[in-house]
Amino acid sequence: MAAGRQKENESRPAGTGRALLWTAGSAVLPGVAHLRTGRRTLGWVILAVYLVLIAAAVAAALVAGGDLTMSAAIAVQGRWLLTAAAVAFAIAVLWMTVVVHSWVITRPESAGVGTKLAGGTLVVALCLMIAAPAGAVMYATYTTHDAISSVFGPEPDDPHGELASRWGDDQARVNVLLIGGDSGSNRYGMRTDSMMVASIDIEYGDVVLIGIPRNLENAQFPKGTALAQRFPPPHGFNDLLNEVYQTVAENPRELAFDPTAKDPAADTLKGVIAHLLDIDLDYYALVDMKGFEGLIDAIGGIRVHIDKPIPYGQRGDILEPGDRVLTGNEALWYGRSRVNSDDYTRMGRQGCLIKYVAEQAEPAKILTSFQSLAGAAKQTLRTDIPASRLPAFVALADRVKNEGEMRTFQLSPPQVNTAYPDWKEIQRLVSDAIQEQEGQQGKQGPDTAKGTPKDASSPVPSVGPSGEKQEGGQGVGPAHQDDSQVGESTEWQEHPGQSSPSPTTPGRQVGDAAASLDTLCP
């Protein structure tokens, strides 16, 4: 034993300074201190593990750099997030253990108080340097996992995990209801002033955005529902369509289609719009418009071209014409402002805004801003899309960005009379807009495919000014307006018979067919 201790002492570096240097070196190249002190087997094992981890990190970086879509898909999966946190914690603990042990085996045998203080200070500093990035990784993964768990819907019964990787073999399109909730401290509840259906072709990435006016009246509800009993036909809902959400939110147990849903009001609004448009809606995504600015800021703003000044706010602010990068707050007002314009102009800009985000949201920027993006999403976004669907949506978003075409169709005057909607005609317009895009690709989807009309032969009846059912036409009554619309009518509303108006603002509807957003958005 004495001989072994003597050999160990001889293998130690001479002097405190060298011991500190070998300890510091072990933080950069783990195992070198063990090799220096003759512990060759342990030293080579530590060094080999370290080099393997470095090689794995480099390979992962190369793969991530070559396929950012795959990286984003991995980053939004809970099991990978938890695995990354666990791996970061384990590596940090093992690395700090190696540093501490390196000082133990290299320090002088007869270390005085000064030597112990210097060694302890160095070891603590090195351990903090190692722990800091590991802690950042664990915090980021926790924040992201918490946001995903809070934002996204419950998982479906999918024991084999098939939903995570692909869409169903018989599914041609996926339809998502996009809802902008206009809540605030100066108003009661939430009005869904922005409502769009994004119908996405899964194979080609083509998108049709169906703009739904907030001021549609006489909304009809599915037979047998509590809403249909409270607001029966022919009159239907006695308020604007943007009030359906708040009406259900105030009494979800009695009025919601599914009171157990994560957001019963949003789930019911999805069902109502699916019924009105006669299409299948797969999911909804609701964004609080005030919090929307946080999402835009998280991805670095949005580049837009503005043709004419857009006044906004209470202080007379203006979005000046020209090519501009809008902050989150400016993008919010680009999509919300109705000063010197109207609901339909605003609907058009909102469609353009979706186009700009889809084009400019780079995967690399999203990944580097993922923590702030996750925090903003947790505060402002609600959806019933299950987290297991996120990889499929990430891949689909990449296809939309790189291969697809975005078209828009607004259910606005003169095509639609918002005061007395002809629901049969609305369903026909929506069906034509989707099928026209499919026809341009030469696609012949099955009648039962998602996104095609469910049964155009059973339309919801339209209602005339006196409450009578109308078999066709747009209705002849004057458009009902709430207080916020007074003085904001346009020539479109004043001349509902105009057949083919020319838009003077971004994204405005032209004729009865869906138009390319590349053409309508400057």
Side-chain angles (χ1 to χ4, degrees):
M1 183 176 292
R5 180 174 293 276
Q6 181 179 358
K7 184 176 180 180
E8 179 181 335
N9 291 337
E10 291 175 354
S11 66
R12 291 175 183 267
T16 301
R18 291 192 176 185
L20 293 174
L21 286 175
W22 283 107
T23 301
S26 69
V28 179
L29 199 61
V32 294
H34 293 77
L35 293 174
R36 169 63 180 81
T37 56
R39 295 167 172 81
R40 299 189 178 279
T41 300
L42 181 58
W44 283 117
V45 169
I46 293 174
L47 185 58
V49 171
Y50 175 74
L51 294 177
V52 168
L53 290 174
I54 291 294
V58 171
L62 291 175
V63 171
D67 192 346
L68 292 175
T69 300
M70 183 186 72
S71 301
I74 292 175
V76 296
Q77 296 184 63
R79 64 179 183 275
W80 287 111
L81 292 171
L82 295 177
T83 299
V87 169
F89 177 78
I91 290 175
V93 170
L94 292 175
W95 202 339
M96 289 187 290
T97 301
V98 170
V99 169
V100 172
H101 193 244
S102 296
W103 169 247
V104 171
I105 63 177
T106 57
R107 69 184 179 186
E109 174 104 19
S110 56
V113 175
T115 299
K116 292 180 179 179
L117 181 61
T121 302
L122 177 65
V123 168
V124 170
L126 293 174
C127 287
L128 289 175
M129 290 175 58
I130 294 169
V137 170
M138 289 187 287
Y139 178 74
T141 54
Y142 167 77
T143 301
T144 306
H145 185 269
D146 180 56
I148 291 174
S149 301
S150 302
V151 168
F152 293 92
E155 293 298 326
D157 185 14
D158 183 32
H160 303 294
E162 295 178 355
L163 291 177
S165 58
R166 62 181 180 84
W167 304 99
D169 294 333
D170 60 344
Q171 186 171 0
R173 307 185 74 91
V174 58
N175 299 320
V176 182
L177 175 63
L178 306 177
I179 309 169
D182 197 358
S183 61
S185 58
N186 61 340
R187 62 188 303 178
Y188 170 73
M190 177 183 291
R191 276 72 185 169
T192 56
D193 283 351
S194 174
M195 292 170 283
M196 288 186 203
V197 171
S199 180
I200 310 169
D201 186 290
I202 293 172
E203 181 179 359
Y204 294 93
D206 294 332
V207 181
V208 179
L209 293 176
I210 308 296
I212 306 169
R214 73 184 187 97
N215 58 340
L216 276 173
E217 300 188 40
N218 304 126
Q220 308 290 308
F221 302 112
K223 292 181 180 180
T225 63
L227 283 171
Q229 294 174 5
R230 177 170 294 192
F231 306 103
H235 296 287
F237 193 50
N238 61 1
D239 212 327
L240 305 180
L241 184 62
N242 71 334
E243 292 284 349
V244 170
Y245 179 94
Q246 185 60 31
T247 299
V248 177
E250 291 173 359
N251 195 359
R253 291 187 178 182
E254 292 187 14
L255 298 180
F257 288 1
D258 180 8
T260 65
K262 185 175 183 179
D263 186 339
D267 177 75
T268 300
L269 180 61
K270 180 181 75 172
V272 169
I273 292 179
H275 175 70
L276 294 175
L277 304 188
D278 196 30
I279 63 173
D280 291 329
L281 287 178
D282 301 285
Y283 306 106
Y284 71 82
L286 187 155
V287 179
D288 187 319
M289 296 301 286
K290 179 60 180 174
F292 172 77
E293 61 185 272
L295 297 175
I296 296 298
D297 286 334
I299 61 174
I302 291 295
R303 297 187 307 276
V304 305
H305 177 81
I306 300 176
D307 283 332
K308 297 180 180 180
I310 301 176
Y312 71 93
Q314 303 296 325
R315 298 175 299 178
D317 295 323
I318 293 178
L319 296 178
E320 297 289 351
D323 296 318
R324 302 191 52 189
V325 177
L326 302 185
T327 65
N329 182 260
E330 291 170 335
L332 172 66
W333 281 105
Y334 176 86
R336 286 187 62 183
S337 178
R338 288 186 298 158
V339 180
N340 297 335
S341 60
D342 54 51
D343 279 329
Y344 312 114
T345 297
R346 178 169 70 172
M347 285 169 56
R349 288 200 302 267
Q350 289 168 357
C352 293
L353 198 58
I354 290 175
K355 172 180 178 288
Y356 297 144
V357 171
E359 290 176 341
Q360 300 173 32
E362 297 290 342
K365 181 64 177 178
I366 291 175
L367 289 177
T368 56
S369 306
F370 206 78
Q371 189 169 339
S372 57
L373 191 60
K378 181 180 177 181
Q379 298 175 12
T380 65
L381 177 65
R382 297 197 295 276
T383 180
D384 60 349
I385 298 173
S388 61
R389 270 296 193 194
L390 290 180
F393 267 102
V394 170
L396 183 58
D398 185 64
R399 188 172 301 121
V400 169
K401 178 185 174 81
N402 296 319
E403 304 174 22
E405 179 192 19
M406 298 189 73
R407 303 180 71 83
T408 183
F409 185 83
Q410 296 176 16
L411 300 176
S412 57
Q415 289 80 10
V416 174
N417 185 315
T418 56
Y420 303 105
D422 182 342
W423 297 109
K424 180 178 180 180
E425 177 66 8
I426 286 175
Q427 292 164 7
R428 184 192 67 78
L429 291 170
V430 171
S431 173
D432 288 350
I434 294 174
Q435 291 184 353
E436 178 190 13
Q437 187 183 68
E438 292 179 343
Q440 290 175 347
Q441 291 285 4
K443 299 186 291 288
Q444 297 296 329
D447 292 339
T448 57
K450 298 276 187 182
T452 57
K454 292 182 291 185
D455 184 5
S457 63
S458 301
V460 182
S462 60
V463 183
S466 301
E468 72 276 8
K469 295 183 180 180
Q470 296 186 17
E471 296 303 325
Q474 294 291 333
V476 296
H480 295 184
Q481 294 181 320
D482 61 3
D483 292 340
S484 66
Q485 292 177 287
V486 174
E488 293 182 353
S489 62
T490 67
E491 69 273 16
W492 284 35
Q493 293 167 296
E494 293 166 0
H495 303 287
Q498 189 173 357
S499 60
S500 183
S502 298
T504 58
T505 53
R508 288 293 292 269
Q509 184 62 48
V510 181
D512 293 342
S516 171
L517 275 172
D518 290 334
T519 302
L520 295 181
C521 298

